[in-house]
Amino acid sequence: MKNKDVNDKKEIERKVLGKLATIIDPQYKKSLADLGFSMSLIDHPKDPEELLLMLKTSHKDKRHNIHLESKIREALVGLKLKNIIAIKFEYDAELAQKNITKPRLKNVKKLIAVGSGKGGVGKSTVSANLAVSLALLGYKTGVIDGDIYGPSMGKIFGINERLALGGDGKTQIYPHKTHGIKLMSFSFLLDRDQAVVWRGPMLGKAVEQFLFQVIWGELDFLIFDLPPGTGDVQMSLSQLVEVDGFIIVSTPQNLAIQDARRAAYMFKGLNVPLIGVIENMSEFHCPECGHVSHIFSKNGADALAADLGVPLLANIPLQEELMEASEKGEPIAISNKKSSITKAFEDLARDLCERLKI
Ligand code: ADP
């Protein structure tokens, strides 16, 4: 190889690696240099026309690398190089240990995410009643309804008024307050019949604003009610802030359980501790004859919890009154203090406090 070629390559390498070192990683909000992501630029082993950028990162979830790659591509365009550069990521477990710290939400003792595999399994109903039970035990509690596709907290708590999110990135927002709970919901931003067409970056921005621009004040618990599945809201939440734990809600049948497992593994992969599983609509007690039937099968959540190595936190039965209470805009934990379901939620809240040592 001629000296000139070698020098050209060195120059390209210097430019590329210098530029990359200053890129801010979308998850950790630090530069690649500060994070210690090691990089090298080599001749592509399969294509003599190309160069290969090798990058060791601490991202276990490949989607973080995809976000990072788009930033790298943007930076490379800025360098106006003639060469084609392929990018290869490699996971570095040691780095992951080092880079694990994420910012905490100021003044919030425990940020808990509640998720599910499928929609309609009662995740929001559970989140709402758990929040009420925590508040009734004297804990300062907030709820973020981050279920963009089916925001139902407003309905469950009987709140219709809208709130405006600041578009300037500076405005602060007061959450709604009801029954001692502070509440922020996607539904407060949408018109009643408005179709939701928000995509990744917009969702990420809204999650950021819900977390950092809402005036939460001091909270013992902030419950983040996630949309079902493993999408952009989940990713944004885990990127933006340290989540203290994840609770998965599922009905017992395999169809729901298999998706719940995926959601649980996603959070495990993002280093969010799994607290446990809540089975909802476990069984139906006939109010006439007392007969117990398992409309959505049985023991599915037990098996999921055992498989994940976490406890089954509660079994909430299928009950008309629970549904009706939400329809009327007052969670059952408020509307009927004597109900066995209210007791089940109170037990769940106490158990959670014990587990989280709060
Ligand atoms: P998700 O948040 O998983 O989409 P929701 O909490 O919105 O689910 O619940 C879906 C519907 O099921 C609502 O009408 C709710 O009132 C009802 N529901 C939830 N849990 C129960 C239950 N244990 N018994 C009866 N109805 C329930």
Side-chain angles (χ1 to χ4, degrees), residues 116 118-126 147 150 152 156 225 228 280-281 316-320 322-324 326-327 341:
S116 67
K118 286 202 187 302
V121 297
K123 169 185 46 63
S124 302
T125 308
V126 167
D147 189 348
S152 39
I156 294 175
D225 183 31
N280 189 30
M281 309 190 193
I316 309 293
L318 184 71
Q319 203 208 53
E320 198 176 355
L322 173 62
M323 183 276 296
E324 276 172 353
S326 301
E327 290 285 298
I341 293 203

Side-chain angles (χ1 to χ4, degrees), residues 30-257:
K30 284 187 190 167
S31 75
L32 302 195
D34 285 345
L35 287 164
F37 287 3
S38 78
M39 301 175 252
S40 54
L41 193 65
I42 57 169
D43 290 328
H44 199 296
K46 289 190 186 145
D47 188 338
E49 301 293 310
E50 286 190 23
L51 296 173
L52 179 63
L53 175 68
M54 312 267 287
L55 197 67
K56 283 192 179 172
T57 77
S58 49
H59 299 309
K60 214 172 187 178
D61 190 306
K62 291 196 172 63
R63 282 173 291 184
H64 289 307
N65 285 337
I66 293 170
H67 285 182
L68 180 57
E69 179 166 353
S70 72
K71 290 197 117 192
I72 293 174
R73 292 268 168 225
E74 224 173 84
L76 291 179
V77 169
L79 289 178
K80 298 197 169 68
L81 301 169
K82 289 195 192 101
N83 316 65
I84 296 172
I85 298 184
I87 302 176
K88 191 173 171 201
F89 290 98
E90 206 180 303
Y91 172 65
D92 184 329
E94 259 177 52
L95 265 183
Q97 281 305 318
K98 259 180 42 201
N99 291 330
I100 217 153
T101 45
K102 284 182 235 169
R104 288 197 61 82
L105 265 193
K106 229 170 105 193
N107 302 330
V108 174
K109 287 193 190 140
K110 297 288 174 195
L111 174 62
I112 307 296
V114 180
S116 67
K118 286 202 187 302
V121 297
K123 169 185 46 63
S124 302
T125 308
V126 167
S127 300
N129 283 288
L130 172 61
V132 169
S133 306
L134 288 167
L136 288 172
L137 290 175
Y139 293 99
K140 296 190 191 94
T141 305
V143 177
I144 295 178
D145 177 3
D147 189 348
I148 176 80
Y149 309 110
S152 39
M153 281 298 165
K155 175 89 190 122
I156 294 175
F157 282 99
I159 299 173
N160 302 313
E161 296 97 79
R162 296 193 59 198
L163 292 168
L165 266 188
D168 59 358
K170 288 184 190 140
T171 319
Q172 297 223 296
I173 312 144
Y174 282 97
H176 279 302
K177 277 191 202 156
T178 178
H179 302 287
I181 294 168
K182 292 178 181 166
L183 188 59
M184 183 68 208
S185 169
F186 267 116
S187 69
F188 303 156
L189 311 176
L190 303 167
D191 289 328
R192 206 187 62 162
D193 300 324
Q194 191 179 341
V196 177
V197 288
W198 291 19
R199 300 256 172 122
M202 266 175 97
L203 285 175
K205 193 77 209 147
V207 171
E208 194 171 352
Q209 294 193 332
F210 282 5
L211 292 169
F212 296 105
Q213 284 175 238
V214 173
I215 302 166
W216 291 111
E218 296 230 337
L219 289 180
D220 295 306
F221 285 99
L222 182 56
I223 308 281
F224 198 114
D225 183 31
L226 291 161
T230 55
D232 290 311
V233 172
Q234 283 80 350
M235 283 296 289
S236 301
L237 177 66
S238 68
Q239 280 174 5
L240 286 164
V241 78
E242 189 172 337
V243 181
D244 295 295
F246 176 61
I247 294 176
I248 187 107
V249 179
S250 184
T251 46
Q253 77 275 34
N254 282 336
L255 209 64
I257 292 288

